[in-house]
Amino acid sequence: MADDVVDEAQLSALHFDRVDLSGFEVADVDIEECRFASVDASGGHWERVTVANCRVDGGSLANLQVRGGSLRRCEVTDNRMTGLQWTDGVVRDVRFTRCRGDLAGFRFSRFTHVVFADCRLASIDFTGADLSGVAFVDCDLTGARLNEATMTGATLTNCRLEDVSGIGALRGATVSGVDMMSLAFQLAADAGITLVPLSRDGQEYDGVGECEEAVSLGWDGRQFGFAEDEFAVGPFQADSAGDDLKGRVAG
């Protein structure tokens, strides 16, 4: 339908309240200084769309397909972004708060000065994305894809990171408030290292054996010692080489 197509337009200083834009095809459109309140823009196809100095409150971007888009100096709050695909685009000076982005994708997109706060991002796809300096705070990144992503200078605070693929992309990032032991196992697996506890499942280690080597991961000032003793082989918490091992072997 012609009414569902927007081509080569400029929208400025407008307020959209509870407008249904679902399924729209949009190309070569500039949107600036607009506010979107409870707007449904789900299921559409956007090409080369620039959104700048805008505020998005509520509403839905679910399953929206965007290629070559630019999102700058915007705030997105309480938005449903499930299945959103933002491919080969730019996201700069943007804050996402309490958004639900399960199964969303930002493949090969470039992020600068971006914050994700209290967002659900399970199974999100950041393949090939440049996430340098991005801050993730209190986010669920379970099952996220970070393959070939760049995360130098990124920070992840109190985030869930179970079953993340491409976890080696965290090189150069700062991670705090997560299950460090679980993360160590994921990093080892990504590097092709298998850590196998040998015996005494569930054995508590507290001052049992001396740490042969302590390796700093640069997260939260904590380190992990790798050593072999009469009980098992595995990762244990330690402050420095020569300290007693502390940890738990799970069978």
Side-chain angles (χ1 to χ4, degrees), residues 197-206 231-232 236 247-251:
L198 298 182
S199 61
R200 296 206 180 184
D201 295 348
Q203 172 69 45
E204 294 281 357
Y205 282 77
D206 188 358
F231 296 117
F236 304 89
R248 182 182 181 91
V249 177

Side-chain angles (χ1 to χ4, degrees), residues 110-174:
R110 299 169 299 285
F111 291 75
T112 306
H113 302 140
V114 175
V115 176
F116 289 90
D118 196 18
C119 293
R120 181 171 176 177
L121 306 173
S123 299
I124 195 168
D125 189 352
F126 285 121
T127 298
D130 186 348
L131 298 165
S132 302
V134 172
F136 295 92
V137 182
D138 297 321
C139 291
D140 183 355
L141 288 159
T142 302
R145 298 179 185 177
L146 301 177
N147 307 76
E148 302 179 24
T150 301
M151 300 191 69
T152 304
T155 59
L156 298 92
T157 306
N158 298 328
C159 294
R160 294 189 61 180
L161 294 170
E162 292 89 347
D163 301 319
V164 172
S165 64
I167 193 125
L170 291 176
R171 185 188 304 271
T174 299

